Amino acid sequence: MDNKTVYLNGQYLPLADAKVSVMDRGFLFGDGIYEVIPSYSGSLFHFQEHMERLENSLSSIRLANPHDRAQWLEILTPLLDTSLDQYIYLQITRGIDSKRDHTFPENVTPTVFAMCSNIVPLANLDSGVKAISVDDSRWELCNVKATTLLANILLRQQAVEKGCAEAILVKDGYVTEGAASNIFAVIDGILITPPQGSEILPGITRNVILEIARENNIPYSEDIISLDALKTASEIWLTSSTREIVPVVQLDNETIANGKPGPIWRIMNQLFQAYKQSRP
């Protein structure tokens, strides 16, 4: 692990040699953003869409993008292995300041870090996972992929300590997303996911699923989902770039339908696997 090559501020070097100043604002304040991009056989999946989300996150925290899209592709490509399914983790912070001050520093260079890791398929995907519902205690800009993830970490830890794979977040009685995922539910035969806005991350996998549903005449809707409605769902899924589409078979100790991944998930998962191999 320590010997794998990473990128840091213009250099490719072993992970063990990659060092960042303790005065970096990412370390002091979590003042930065990140992006996760899957790569299948060396091809970055929906690279342009991930770059658009990166640009939107940078703009939201008023941090200038240090590279254009062509430069990002040139930076990230050497980290990839064409024989493996992997994901890029890319982080950009506001940079190193001379003092600890909440105010934006002037004339500092952003810190850019990127590394590549293998995608490890979820071991129990075909049997589904358990989840709990918890109050959404995060900040109001959840559409920004910020490195300040302490609230998400604490919520996810609650789930893990109860033997669950994910925490499904609820605000004012309505489901927003998972602590590290978007959420879908099949209710009365309709595939539903909460609409995009500041309360959820604009997931790339989420959007691909909606595109696949549209192209394959699977009824779907972007609409609010109450927690009460979610508990009547015949299927619940969690989606993310690294885990793809994960079926939930138990929520708050209550079994979903027959306790097995549902038929629409099986169809969608097959369609998604075919889609990712056919499109960059």
Side-chain angles (χ1 to χ4, degrees):
M1 180 73 169
D2 286 350
N3 291 323
K4 78 173 180 178
T5 298
V6 301
Y7 175 90
L8 179 64
N9 295 335
Q11 291 185 298
Y12 297 94
L13 67 169
L15 177 60
D17 296 336
K19 310 296 182 183
V20 178
S21 168
V22 293
M23 294 305 293
D24 192 281
R25 288 178 62 88
F27 176 76
L28 292 175
F29 299 115
D31 185 2
I33 62 93
Y34 73 102
E35 187 60 45
V36 176
I37 313 173
S39 171
Y40 301 111
S41 301
S43 178
L44 291 167
F45 185 67
H46 277 257
F47 174 73
Q48 299 299 334
E49 288 80 359
H50 280 281
M51 285 294 102
E52 180 179 0
R53 186 169 68 179
L54 175 79
E55 292 157 3
N56 289 339
S57 292
L58 287 169
S59 177
S60 294
I61 69 166
R62 297 164 59 188
L63 179 55
N65 193 339
H67 301 292
D68 62 30
R69 294 186 183 185
Q71 290 170 328
W72 280 123
L73 187 60
E74 184 177 354
I75 288 168
L76 300 177
T77 297
L79 299 173
L80 302 173
D81 186 328
T82 57
S83 67
L84 298 173
D85 289 346
Q86 302 173 297
Y87 68 92
I88 289 285
Y89 176 83
L90 171 61
Q91 178 172 304
I92 308 166
T93 77
R94 204 172 302 276
I96 301 168
D97 199 358
S98 60
K99 61 184 183 301
R100 185 184 181 278
D101 189 341
H102 286 66
T103 306
F104 292 172
E106 297 181 358
N107 302 318
V108 296
T109 302
T111 297
V112 177
F113 171 72
M115 66 178 178
C116 190
S117 302
N118 294 341
I119 293 176
V120 180
L122 197 65
N124 55 348
L125 186 64
D126 288 332
S127 57
V129 301
K130 300 177 183 179
I132 61 170
S133 62
V134 295
D135 289 337
D136 191 343
S137 59
R138 302 170 301 165
W139 72 328
E140 295 183 357
L141 297 179
C142 298
N143 56 315
V144 177
K145 208 164 175 67
T147 58
T148 47
L149 291 173
L150 183 57
N152 300 66
I153 290 168
L154 294 172
L155 294 167
R156 182 73 168 273
Q157 186 63 25
Q158 286 186 49
V160 171
E161 290 174 354
K162 293 186 176 182
C164 296
E166 182 62 301
I168 294 174
L169 311 184
V170 181
K171 181 175 289 187
D172 299 326
Y174 291 89
V175 174
T176 52
E177 57 185 347
S181 57
N182 291 118
I183 187 167
F184 284 79
V186 178
I187 300 175
D188 296 329
I190 307 295
L191 181 63
I192 306 174
T193 191
Q196 291 192 159
S198 63
E199 293 183 342
I200 73 166
L201 180 73
I204 307 301
T205 302
R206 170 194 181 278
N207 293 343
V208 168
I209 289 171
L210 293 178
E211 179 183 339
I212 292 173
R214 183 166 55 250
E215 292 179 350
N216 290 273
N217 297 315
I218 297 173
Y220 74 91
S221 174
E222 294 181 77
D223 202 355
I224 58 174
I225 307 172
S226 70
L227 179 59
D228 289 341
L230 185 68
K231 291 184 175 182
T232 71
S234 58
E235 300 185 34
I236 299 174
W237 313 341
L238 302 169
T239 67
S240 69
S241 289
T242 56
R243 290 192 170 187
E244 299 179 353
I245 315 170
V246 179
V248 176
V249 297
Q250 187 182 104
L251 175 62
D252 293 336
N253 295 317
E254 297 292 331
T255 301
I256 305 300
N258 63 359
K260 299 178 180 179
I264 299 179
W265 172 81
R266 295 190 181 280
I267 292 170
M268 180 59 73
N269 191 48
Q270 291 176 354
L271 291 170
F272 183 85
Q273 299 308 317
Y275 178 99
K276 75 181 190 184
Q277 298 301 331
S278 66
R279 300 179 66 169

Coordinates of all heavy atoms in Angstrom, one line a residue, residues 129-182:
V129 N -28.2 -6.0 2.1 CA -27.6 -5.4 3.3 C -28.7 -4.9 4.2 O -29.8 -4.7 3.8 CB -26.6 -4.3 3.0 CG1 -25.5 -4.9 2.1 CG2 -27.2 -3.1 2.3
K130 N -28.3 -4.6 5.5 CA -29.1 -3.9 6.4 C -28.8 -2.5 6.5 O -27.7 -2.0 6.3 CB -29.0 -4.6 7.8 CG -29.3 -6.1 7.8 CD -29.0 -6.7 9.2 CE -29.2 -8.2 9.3 NZ -28.9 -8.7 10.6
A131 N -29.9 -1.7 6.9 CA -29.7 -0.2 7.1 C -30.5 0.2 8.3 O -31.5 -0.4 8.7 CB -30.1 0.5 5.8
I132 N -30.2 1.4 8.8 CA -31.0 2.0 9.8 C -31.3 3.4 9.3 O -30.7 4.0 8.4 CB -30.3 2.1 11.2 CG1 -29.0 3.0 11.1 CG2 -30.0 0.8 11.7 CD1 -28.3 3.3 12.4
S133 N -32.4 4.0 9.8 CA -32.7 5.4 9.6 C -32.3 6.3 10.7 O -32.5 5.9 11.9 CB -34.2 5.6 9.3 OG -35.0 5.2 10.4
V134 N -31.7 7.4 10.4 CA -31.3 8.3 11.5 C -31.6 9.8 11.1 O -31.7 10.1 9.9 CB -29.8 8.2 11.8 CG1 -29.4 6.8 12.3 CG2 -29.0 8.5 10.5
D135 N -31.7 10.7 12.0 CA -31.9 12.1 11.7 C -30.7 12.6 10.9 O -29.5 12.4 11.3 CB -32.1 12.9 13.0 CG -33.5 12.6 13.6 OD1 -34.4 12.1 12.9 OD2 -33.6 12.8 14.8
D136 N -31.0 13.4 9.9 CA -29.9 14.0 9.1 C -29.4 15.3 9.8 O -30.1 16.3 9.8 CB -30.5 14.4 7.7 CG -29.5 14.8 6.7 OD1 -28.3 15.1 7.1 OD2 -29.7 14.8 5.5
S137 N -28.2 15.2 10.4 CA -27.7 16.3 11.1 C -26.6 17.0 10.4 O -25.8 17.8 11.0 CB -27.1 15.7 12.5 OG -26.0 14.7 12.2
R138 N -26.5 16.9 9.1 CA -25.4 17.5 8.3 C -25.7 19.0 8.0 O -26.8 19.5 8.3 CB -25.2 16.7 7.0 CG -24.9 15.3 7.2 CD -25.0 14.5 5.8 NE -26.3 14.7 5.2 CZ -26.6 14.4 4.0 NH1 -25.6 14.0 3.2 NH2 -27.8 14.5 3.5
W139 N -24.7 19.6 7.4 CA -24.9 21.0 7.1 C -25.8 21.1 5.9 O -26.3 20.1 5.3 CB -23.5 21.7 6.8 CG -22.8 21.3 5.6 CD1 -22.8 20.1 5.0 CD2 -21.9 22.2 4.8 NE1 -22.0 20.2 3.9 CE2 -21.4 21.4 3.8 CE3 -21.5 23.5 5.0 CZ2 -20.5 21.9 2.8 CZ3 -20.6 24.0 4.0 CH2 -20.1 23.2 3.0
E140 N -26.1 22.4 5.4 CA -27.1 22.6 4.4 C -26.6 22.5 3.0 O -27.4 22.6 2.0 CB -27.9 23.9 4.6 CG -28.6 23.9 6.0 CD -29.4 25.2 6.2 OE1 -29.3 26.1 5.3 OE2 -30.1 25.3 7.2
L141 N -25.3 22.3 2.8 CA -24.8 22.3 1.4 C -24.3 20.9 1.1 O -23.2 20.7 0.7 CB -23.7 23.3 1.2 CG -24.0 24.8 1.4 CD1 -22.8 25.7 1.3 CD2 -25.1 25.2 0.4
C142 N -25.2 19.9 1.2 CA -24.9 18.5 0.9 C -24.6 18.2 -0.5 O -24.0 17.2 -0.8 CB -26.0 17.6 1.5 SG -26.3 17.8 3.2
N143 N -24.9 19.1 -1.4 CA -24.6 19.0 -2.8 C -23.2 19.3 -3.1 O -22.7 19.0 -4.2 CB -25.5 19.9 -3.7 CG -25.4 21.3 -3.3 OD1 -25.5 21.7 -2.1 ND2 -25.3 22.2 -4.3
V144 N -22.5 19.9 -2.2 CA -21.0 20.2 -2.3 C -20.3 19.0 -1.8 O -20.5 18.5 -0.7 CB -20.6 21.4 -1.6 CG1 -19.1 21.7 -1.7 CG2 -21.4 22.6 -2.1
K145 N -19.4 18.4 -2.6 CA -18.6 17.2 -2.2 C -17.4 17.7 -1.4 O -16.2 17.6 -1.8 CB -18.2 16.4 -3.4 CG -18.0 15.0 -3.1 CD -18.0 14.2 -4.4 CE -17.7 12.7 -4.2 NZ -18.7 12.0 -3.5
A146 N -17.7 18.2 -0.2 CA -16.7 18.8 0.7 C -16.0 17.7 1.5 O -16.5 16.7 1.8 CB -17.3 19.8 1.6
T147 N -14.7 18.0 1.9 CA -14.0 17.0 2.7 C -14.4 17.0 4.1 O -14.0 16.1 4.9 CB -12.4 17.3 2.6 OG1 -12.2 18.7 3.1 CG2 -11.9 17.2 1.2
T148 N -15.2 18.0 4.5 CA -15.7 18.1 5.9 C -16.8 17.1 6.1 O -18.0 17.4 6.1 CB -16.2 19.5 6.2 OG1 -17.0 19.9 5.1 CG2 -15.0 20.4 6.3
L149 N -16.5 15.8 6.4 CA -17.4 14.7 6.4 C -17.7 14.2 7.8 O -18.2 13.1 7.9 CB -17.0 13.6 5.5 CG -17.0 13.9 4.0 CD1 -16.3 12.7 3.2 CD2 -18.4 14.1 3.5
L150 N -17.4 14.9 8.8 CA -17.5 14.4 10.2 C -18.9 14.0 10.5 O -19.1 12.9 11.1 CB -17.0 15.5 11.2 CG -17.0 15.0 12.7 CD1 -16.2 13.8 12.9 CD2 -16.5 16.1 13.6
A151 N -19.9 14.8 10.1 CA -21.3 14.4 10.4 C -21.6 13.1 9.7 O -22.3 12.2 10.3 CB -22.2 15.5 9.9
N152 N -21.2 12.9 8.4 CA -21.5 11.7 7.7 C -20.8 10.5 8.4 O -21.3 9.4 8.5 CB -20.9 11.8 6.3 CG -21.6 12.9 5.5 OD1 -21.4 14.0 5.8 ND2 -22.3 12.5 4.4
I153 N -19.6 10.7 8.9 CA -18.8 9.7 9.5 C -19.5 9.2 10.8 O -19.7 8.0 11.1 CB -17.4 10.2 9.9 CG1 -16.6 10.3 8.6 CG2 -16.7 9.2 10.9 CD1 -15.3 11.1 8.8
L154 N -20.0 10.2 11.6 CA -20.7 9.8 12.8 C -22.0 9.1 12.6 O -22.3 8.1 13.3 CB -21.0 11.1 13.7 CG -19.7 11.8 14.2 CD1 -20.1 13.1 14.8 CD2 -19.0 10.9 15.2
L155 N -22.7 9.5 11.5 CA -23.9 8.8 11.2 C -23.7 7.4 10.7 O -24.4 6.4 11.0 CB -24.7 9.6 10.1 CG -25.2 11.0 10.6 CD1 -25.7 11.9 9.5 CD2 -26.3 10.8 11.7
R156 N -22.7 7.2 9.8 CA -22.3 5.9 9.3 C -21.8 5.0 10.4 O -22.2 3.8 10.4 CB -21.2 6.1 8.2 CG -20.8 4.8 7.5 CD -21.8 4.3 6.6 NE -21.3 3.2 5.7 CZ -20.7 3.4 4.6 NH1 -20.5 4.6 4.1 NH2 -20.3 2.4 3.8
Q157 N -21.1 5.6 11.4 CA -20.6 4.7 12.5 C -21.8 4.2 13.3 O -21.7 3.0 13.8 CB -19.7 5.5 13.4 CG -19.0 4.8 14.5 CD -18.1 3.7 13.9 OE1 -17.6 3.7 12.8 NE2 -17.9 2.6 14.7
Q158 N -22.9 5.0 13.4 CA -24.0 4.5 14.1 C -24.6 3.2 13.5 O -24.9 2.2 14.1 CB -25.2 5.5 14.1 CG -25.0 6.7 15.1 CD -26.2 7.6 15.1 OE1 -27.3 7.1 15.3 NE2 -26.0 8.9 15.0
A159 N -24.6 3.2 12.1 CA -25.1 2.1 11.4 C -24.2 0.9 11.6 O -24.6 -0.3 11.9 CB -25.2 2.4 9.9
V160 N -22.9 1.1 11.5 CA -21.9 0.0 11.6 C -22.0 -0.7 13.0 O -21.9 -1.9 13.1 CB -20.5 0.5 11.3 CG1 -19.4 -0.6 11.7 CG2 -20.3 0.9 9.9
E161 N -22.1 0.2 14.0 CA -22.2 -0.4 15.4 C -23.5 -1.2 15.6 O -23.6 -1.9 16.6 CB -22.1 0.8 16.4 CG -20.7 1.4 16.4 CD -20.6 2.6 17.3 OE1 -21.6 3.1 17.8 OE2 -19.4 3.1 17.5
K162 N -24.5 -1.0 14.7 CA -25.7 -1.8 14.8 C -25.7 -2.9 13.8 O -26.8 -3.5 13.5 CB -26.9 -0.9 14.7 CG -27.1 0.1 15.8 CD -28.4 0.9 15.7 CE -28.6 1.8 16.9 NZ -29.8 2.6 16.9
G163 N -24.6 -3.2 13.2 CA -24.5 -4.3 12.3 C -25.1 -4.0 10.9 O -25.5 -5.0 10.2
C164 N -25.1 -2.7 10.6 CA -25.7 -2.3 9.3 C -24.7 -1.8 8.4 O -23.6 -1.3 8.8 CB -26.8 -1.3 9.5 SG -28.2 -1.9 10.5
A165 N -25.0 -1.8 7.1 CA -24.1 -1.3 6.1 C -24.2 0.2 5.9 O -23.2 0.9 5.4 CB -24.3 -2.0 4.8
E166 N -25.3 0.8 6.2 CA -25.5 2.2 5.9 C -26.6 2.9 6.8 O -27.5 2.2 7.3 CB -25.9 2.4 4.4 CG -26.1 3.8 3.9 CD -24.9 4.7 3.9 OE1 -24.3 4.9 5.1 OE2 -24.5 5.2 2.9
A167 N -26.4 4.2 7.0 CA -27.4 5.0 7.6 C -28.2 5.7 6.6 O -27.6 6.5 5.8 CB -26.8 5.9 8.6
I168 N -29.5 5.6 6.6 CA -30.4 6.3 5.7 C -30.9 7.6 6.4 O -31.4 7.5 7.5 CB -31.6 5.5 5.2 CG1 -31.0 4.3 4.4 CG2 -32.6 6.3 4.5 CD1 -32.1 3.3 4.0
L169 N -30.6 8.7 5.9 CA -30.8 10.0 6.6 C -32.2 10.6 6.3 O -32.7 10.5 5.2 CB -29.7 11.0 6.1 CG -28.3 10.5 6.1 CD1 -27.3 11.6 5.8 CD2 -27.9 9.8 7.5
V170 N -32.7 11.1 7.4 CA -34.1 11.6 7.4 C -34.1 13.0 7.9 O -33.6 13.3 9.0 CB -35.0 10.7 8.2 CG1 -36.5 11.2 8.1 CG2 -35.0 9.3 7.7
K171 N -34.8 13.9 7.2 CA -34.9 15.3 7.6 C -36.4 15.7 7.5 O -37.0 15.6 6.5 CB -34.1 16.3 6.7 CG -34.2 17.7 7.1 CD -33.2 18.6 6.3 CE -31.8 18.3 6.7 NZ -30.8 19.3 6.0
D172 N -36.9 16.2 8.7 CA -38.3 16.6 8.7 C -39.3 15.5 8.2 O -40.3 15.7 7.6 CB -38.6 17.9 8.0 CG -37.8 19.0 8.5 OD1 -37.5 19.1 9.7 OD2 -37.3 19.9 7.7
G173 N -38.9 14.2 8.5 CA -39.8 13.1 8.1 C -39.6 12.6 6.7 O -40.2 11.6 6.3
Y174 N -38.7 13.2 6.0 CA -38.4 12.8 4.6 C -37.0 12.3 4.4 O -36.1 12.9 4.9 CB -38.7 13.9 3.6 CG -40.2 14.3 3.5 CD1 -40.8 15.2 4.4 CD2 -41.1 13.6 2.7 CE1 -42.1 15.5 4.4 CE2 -42.4 13.9 2.6 CZ -42.9 14.8 3.5 OH -44.3 15.1 3.4
V175 N -36.9 11.3 3.6 CA -35.6 10.7 3.3 C -34.8 11.6 2.4 O -35.3 12.1 1.4 CB -35.7 9.3 2.7 CG1 -34.4 8.7 2.2 CG2 -36.5 8.4 3.6
T176 N -33.5 11.8 2.7 CA -32.6 12.6 1.8 C -31.7 11.6 1.0 O -31.8 11.6 -0.2 CB -31.8 13.6 2.6 OG1 -31.1 12.9 3.7 CG2 -32.7 14.7 3.2
E177 N -30.8 10.9 1.7 CA -29.9 10.0 1.1 C -29.2 9.2 2.2 O -29.6 9.3 3.3 CB -28.8 10.8 0.3 CG -28.0 11.8 1.1 CD -27.1 12.6 0.2 OE1 -26.9 12.2 -1.0 OE2 -26.5 13.6 0.7
G178 N -28.3 8.3 1.8 CA -27.5 7.6 2.7 C -26.3 8.4 3.2 O -26.0 9.5 2.6
A179 N -25.6 8.0 4.3 CA -24.5 8.7 4.8 C -23.4 8.8 3.7 O -22.6 9.8 3.7 CB -23.9 8.1 6.1
A180 N -23.3 7.8 2.9 CA -22.3 7.8 1.8 C -22.9 7.2 0.5 O -22.3 6.5 -0.2 CB -21.1 7.0 2.2
S181 N -24.2 7.6 0.2 CA -24.8 7.0 -0.9 C -26.1 7.8 -1.2 O -26.6 8.5 -0.4 CB -25.2 5.5 -0.6 OG -26.0 5.4 0.5
N182 N -26.6 7.6 -2.5 CA -27.9 8.0 -2.8 C -28.9 6.9 -2.6 O -28.5 5.7 -2.4 CB -28.0 8.5 -4.3 CG -27.3 9.8 -4.6 OD1 -26.3 9.8 -5.3 ND2 -27.7 10.8 -3.9

